[in-house]
Amino acid sequence: MALIALAADKGAPGVTTAAVALGAVWPRPVLVAECDQAGGDLVYRLPAAAPDDGTAMLNPARGLLSLAATARRGLRPDQIAEHCQRLVGGLDVLVGITGAEQAQGMTWLWGPLARAFAGLDPVDVLADCGRLGAGSPLIDLMREADLVVLFTRATLEQVAHLRERLAVLATELRGGPPIGVIVLADPRDYRASIAEVDRIVAGAHQRLRAEASASGPPPAPVTVLGGLALDPKGAELLSGQWGGRLDRSLLIRSAREVAATLVGRLAARPAAPQPGARPEPELEGRR
Ligand SMILES: Nc1ncnc2c1ncn2[C@@H]1O[C@H](COP(=O)(O)OP(=O)(O)O)[C@@H](O)[C@H]1O
Ligand SMILES: [Mg+2]
């Protein structure tokens, strides 16, 4: 089904926390896949479900690394399941590599992995791509995604970095998936933060479109899709066990809204463009 790539430009705005929160409330079958090249965090944060309602540690050796080892000669969607693990609470995850060194031998993986994820029916995949540096090989995964979602906090420096990253990414993803932006915002000035990021992103994208060559495809559309609550208590609970309190946390409540928005975007996707057709160069602001 759908592949949604989640990432950030700089800092640690909360991509992994968002991936788990969105996975926990996703309205369709879902897998959270840790594709962060710097190494995954889930093994250290969340308990695996064990028989008889018990808990266990996630097995760090079963995940992306074991999948990559078996996938050298091609990767089929039906090979993924045996490398996944289930968290307490029922969320299925593909745990990431343990450190950045392992990523070096895996640059070939991201394109085939993305195609296998996209073929995983009826499961949607939320791929935690971590931080996107310049020239990240994860661009191969993003090109195959149905939607790329960048997370940012509303601070001046994070938004400035995001703007630079968007300019590069929207050009690299020309003719590919649209890019959405989710703002991690303090509930006290939630709407103002999102509106401010929207204004900056829309202005930057307008300039990018004006500068794009008339002959080539236009840059990928960029839309601010909404906000996720900055909620330290909720984020802490998400690195422990799922419980009733978490269910009512601001983080989870806002994650429900974001999940509904993302699923709505996926449903409204235009059919794949015909060869030679020029995709709509539309910038959709958040209304
Ligand atoms: N929505 C949030 N509200 C408050 N704190 C958060 C939120 N998301 C993440 N954090 C905190 O920020 C830090 C980084 O989160 P993490 O999800 O690992 O970020 P990333 O994956 O972008 O590096 C953690 O200490 C986490 O508890
Ligand atoms: Mg992370």
Side-chain angles (χ1 to χ4, degrees):
M1 291 277 286
L3 168 61
I4 300 125
L6 312 175
D9 175 52
K10 224 180 157 233
V15 182
T16 301
T17 303
V20 173
L22 289 171
V25 300
W26 200 251
R28 313 197 291 212
V30 71
L31 169 69
V32 169
E34 275 198 300
C35 300
D36 189 335
Q37 294 215 100
D41 286 323
L42 293 181
V43 166
Y44 308 112
R45 289 190 192 177
L46 291 165
D52 301 326
D53 287 341
T55 65
M57 243 193 86
L58 284 166
N59 177 357
R62 185 171 160 211
L64 194 58
L65 199 62
S66 57
L67 179 63
T70 63
R72 282 261 168 212
R73 284 200 216 108
L75 183 53
R76 294 185 319 271
D78 63 357
Q79 288 174 290
I80 295 173
E82 67 184 276
H83 301 277
C84 295
Q85 301 180 66
R86 184 157 289 175
L87 298 180
V88 169
L91 179 61
D92 288 329
V93 296
L94 180 70
V95 304
I97 56 177
T98 49
E101 289 69 25
Q102 290 171 345
Q104 286 167 6
M106 293 171 73
T107 49
W108 61 275
L109 178 70
W110 307 112
L113 183 67
R115 287 187 285 278
F117 282 154
L120 208 56
D121 205 27
V123 178
D124 292 330
V125 176
L126 299 174
D128 175 357
C129 299
R131 281 172 58 171
L132 292 180
S136 169
L138 278 165
I139 192 74
D140 292 344
L141 181 144
M142 297 195 160
R143 280 205 188 91
E144 306 279 342
D146 297 278
L147 186 60
V148 172
V149 180
L150 295 191
F151 291 82
T152 184
R153 299 206 180 185
T155 61
L156 194 60
E157 71 263 28
Q158 279 218 3
V159 178
H161 286 297
L162 174 81
R163 190 175 51 186
E164 301 306 312
R165 177 61 46 209
L166 280 174
V168 176
L169 201 59
T171 307
E172 286 180 334
L173 292 178
R174 270 182 313 223
I179 303 169
V181 175
I182 298 289
V183 185
L184 282 139
D186 190 322
R188 283 168 298 189
D189 40 37
Y190 203 61
R191 282 177 182 277
S193 300
I194 297 167
E196 179 64 6
V197 176
D198 193 11
R199 190 181 62 75
I200 294 168
V201 165
H205 197 265
Q206 216 157 20
R207 271 196 302 284
L208 191 65
R209 275 169 52 199
E211 288 161 13
S213 82
S215 54
V222 179
T223 311
V224 175
L225 293 174
L228 206 56
L230 271 181
D231 170 13
K233 282 214 182 95
E236 261 172 43
L237 281 170
L238 256 197
S239 35
Q241 231 167 297
W242 180 262
R245 275 169 60 216
L246 178 58
D247 200 36
R248 288 193 295 275
S249 71
L250 285 172
L251 175 56
I252 288 296
R253 275 157 46 196
S254 58
R256 280 206 182 86
E257 281 182 31
V258 171
T261 304
L262 298 184
V263 168
R265 288 277 155 167
L266 293 170
R269 261 171 312 178
Q274 297 301 312
R278 199 179 153 90
E280 194 68 43
E282 190 63 26
L283 171 76
E284 304 156 57
R286 186 174 164 276
R287 316 239 181 268

